[in-house]
Amino acid sequence: MADAKVIPFDDDRSRGGAGGAAQRPSRRGAGSRRKGAGSASMGEVQPLPGRASAKDDAPVPREHREPHEDRPREPVADGGVRPDAGDGGGLDRRVASGLAFLRRRLTGDYAVDDFGYDEELTDQVLMSLLRPVYEKYFRVEVKGIENIPSEGGALIVANHSGTLPLDGLMMQVAVHDNHPADRHLRLLAADLVFMLPVVNELARKLGHTLACAEDAARLLEQGELVGVMPEGFKGLGKPFADRYKLQRFGRGGFVSTALRARAPIIPCSIVGAEEIYPMIGNGRTIARLLGFPYFPLTPTFPWLGPLGAIPLPTKWTIQFGEPIHTESYPPEAAEDPMLMFNLTDQVREQIQHTLYKLLVQRRSVFF
């Protein structure tokens, strides 16, 4: 493989070139459970077919109810309630929805945008695969989600760490599952991501695109939520001894892009990713042979083979800080190097300060 090349975020390069999740159905009308009765006498008036008798309409005492009848139903977005686990109708709907999804995939009846983003596949499949890792394995806690605007373009700037870029994926799930406006985060990635087979296709389906100023500007102009990690490989592959010490944020290209688009900059601090693969060494010779920016040596990898590639189950916290607004700056501000330097330093210092605060509050790496 050719040597990996890190593309500066503010590199102006050209590159050739959005549907909603279906709402959950509301609960079926809850019918009363009919009690067994003896044979009716000939003179007794029988209820009309399909209607319950007055006796059946009476409320059932709590001690005679089935356990699932007392369990509260979970509300869903459309104001209804999620079908109960015992609801045959709920299972039927899920099966029908799954078959319809497969039919659309097989017939090509689905939409992707100019960057290859497939919203339906992301919502129904890819997020479902990432969610157990997010909820059960890393047990991510999200703070400050209200700082992300409900509409319009915005640039989320986060620290980068962990040897493998799982922090970006967890940040994407955090926005997708917690934001009240159901916003999607579009991440900017290094060119190495798009050189790897399979990873390339999955990244584009998830909405990732090349970390260049042109793509970032187009997404912001379309009102998208864009995520960038300016540390790049310097942050991702730094030694474990340098954990939670931010590396250089490049030349401020992300600030220039936000100023041109008049989009707010939202600092994001991620705690927990540094310890998933404690990098105690770097196999530089192997990295050069493979065309990678670094080859991590951890306490478990490569000594335990594939088992060594399993990340440690650390406890994560993702905090979105207060936005830094750019609307008040004039258009020519994007060309002012001193302003870009000051804003870049302001974002970096805010992320670093929040990291230290979260580390002080953390009880344990794993709990």
Side-chain angles (χ1 to χ4, degrees):
M1 180 183 296
D3 286 347
K5 176 177 60 175
V6 180
I7 297 180
F9 182 75
D10 51 359
D11 184 18
D12 291 329
R13 61 176 57 198
S14 303
R15 195 183 64 78
Q23 292 184 336
R24 295 184 179 92
S26 51
R27 181 183 60 171
R28 296 183 296 127
S32 56
R33 187 165 54 91
R34 300 182 65 89
K35 298 180 180 179
S39 302
S41 62
M42 293 297 295
E44 191 173 338
V45 179
Q46 300 296 326
L48 292 175
R51 292 181 58 87
S53 66
K55 182 178 179 180
D56 290 333
D57 286 336
V60 181
R62 178 176 294 271
E63 61 271 16
H64 296 301
R65 295 180 187 174
E66 296 295 333
H68 69 83
E69 293 181 0
D70 278 337
R71 191 168 60 244
R73 300 293 183 97
E74 182 181 349
V76 294
D78 59 359
V81 246
R82 190 188 306 279
D84 201 64
D87 253 345
L91 177 60
D92 291 344
R93 278 187 290 270
R94 288 193 293 271
V95 170
S97 176
L99 292 175
F101 171 77
L102 289 176
R103 181 173 63 250
R104 288 192 298 274
R105 307 312 296 186
L106 293 174
T107 60
D109 185 21
Y110 58 91
V112 297
D113 69 4
D114 293 341
F115 300 94
Y117 173 48
D118 189 332
E119 184 173 353
E120 183 185 45
L121 184 68
T122 297
D123 287 342
Q124 299 197 25
V125 178
L126 300 180
M127 285 294 162
S128 298
L129 295 176
L130 292 171
R131 193 166 290 117
V133 180
Y134 171 90
E135 293 180 346
K136 306 298 183 184
Y137 198 78
F138 293 137
R139 295 146 290 147
V140 180
E141 179 184 359
V142 178
K143 301 179 179 180
I145 195 71
E146 68 278 0
N147 290 320
I148 300 177
S150 298
E151 58 184 12
L155 186 65
I156 296 180
V157 182
N159 59 305
H160 206 13
S161 62
T163 304
L164 292 180
L166 298 182
D167 50 358
L169 297 176
M170 295 300 102
M171 183 169 66
Q172 196 170 6
V173 180
V175 174
H176 181 275
D177 286 6
N178 292 278
H179 199 277
D182 298 325
R183 301 209 66 177
H184 294 77
L185 179 63
R186 310 291 296 272
L187 288 174
L188 303 178
D191 61 340
L192 178 60
V193 172
F194 303 102
M195 294 169 58
L196 300 174
V198 182
V199 175
N200 169 34
E201 287 297 319
L202 289 176
R204 293 205 176 274
K205 296 294 185 183
L206 272 165
H208 303 178
T209 190
L210 195 63
C212 66
E214 182 189 30
D215 285 2
R218 286 181 59 194
L219 288 170
L220 289 173
E221 288 169 1
Q222 295 171 9
E224 297 286 353
L225 194 60
V226 181
V228 61
M229 295 172 160
E231 292 177 280
F233 290 125
K234 300 187 301 294
L236 194 62
K238 65 177 176 288
F240 186 64
D242 294 335
R243 60 193 179 277
Y244 299 114
K245 297 177 183 177
L246 294 183
Q247 305 299 299
R248 184 171 175 265
F249 266 27
R251 291 175 291 176
F254 69 91
V255 171
S256 176
T257 302
L259 286 171
R260 288 192 175 96
R262 305 178 72 81
I265 301 172
I266 303 168
C268 176
S269 304
I270 304 174
V271 165
E274 292 275 16
E275 297 90 359
I276 60 173
Y277 296 112
M279 187 167 164
I280 58 177
N282 183 6
R284 291 183 174 85
T285 302
I286 301 176
R288 282 195 297 268
L289 291 174
L290 297 176
F292 293 158
Y294 56 87
F295 186 84
L297 302 177
T298 76
T300 58
F301 183 84
W303 330 113
L304 298 183
L307 289 177
I310 300 176
L312 297 178
T314 59
K315 174 75 169 63
W316 287 36
T317 301
I318 300 178
Q319 178 161 337
F320 299 96
E322 294 185 2
I324 299 171
H325 296 281
T326 62
E327 300 90 342
S328 61
Y329 294 99
E332 60 270 18
E335 308 300 331
D336 185 347
M338 199 63 194
L339 176 62
M340 286 194 296
F341 174 81
N342 290 335
L343 285 177
T344 301
D345 193 57
Q346 180 183 352
V347 174
R348 187 180 181 277
E349 287 300 317
Q350 188 169 337
I351 294 174
Q352 185 71 81
H353 176 75
T354 305
L355 286 175
Y356 287 149
K357 184 175 68 174
L358 292 174
L359 288 172
V360 169
Q361 295 172 353
R362 184 169 67 168
R363 295 179 302 168
S364 166
V365 172
F366 299 101
F367 305 102

